[in-house]
Amino acid sequence: MMRALAIGGFLTAVLLFAAVEWAARREGSRIPSLADVCAFVMRYEVGPVPVGRIGLFGFWWWLGWHFLAR
């Protein structure tokens, strides 16, 4: 039961992500694509510290730790 609920949740998230990305790539759309959001985050700095890059690295580390480390 819980496994099916988790799979359904992930499937819903992937479908929503695909729908938003499709809407972002339409002609004249004001919705930023994932590439635009990642580029904005990567450029974020506080003084000389690249906070955006550190945060994105931490997010990927967290994602790998929780879903790939078994």
Side-chain angles (χ1 to χ4, degrees), residues 1 15 18-19 24 27 53 63:
M1 172 72 178
L15 290 174
E27 189 68 34
R53 290 177 188 257
L63 199 68

Side-chain angles (χ1 to χ4, degrees), residues 35-45 49-57 60:
D36 294 335
V37 172
C38 285
F40 178 78
V41 169
M42 292 290 281
R43 285 192 306 264
Y44 186 72
E45 292 182 351
V49 180
V51 177
R53 290 177 188 257
I54 294 169
L56 199 59
F57 175 76
W60 279 115

Side-chain angles (χ1 to χ4, degrees), residues 11-70:
L11 190 59
T12 301
V14 167
L15 290 174
L16 284 173
F17 169 76
V20 170
E21 189 67 21
W22 174 77
R25 294 184 180 270
R26 289 182 307 150
E27 189 68 34
S29 176
R30 295 183 57 195
I31 302 170
S33 68
L34 179 64
D36 294 335
V37 172
C38 285
F40 178 78
V41 169
M42 292 290 281
R43 285 192 306 264
Y44 186 72
E45 292 182 351
V46 175
V49 180
V51 177
R53 290 177 188 257
I54 294 169
L56 199 59
F57 175 76
F59 170 72
W60 279 115
W61 177 80
W62 179 86
L63 199 68
W65 184 266
H66 284 81
F67 295 111
L68 301 175
R70 285 205 173 223

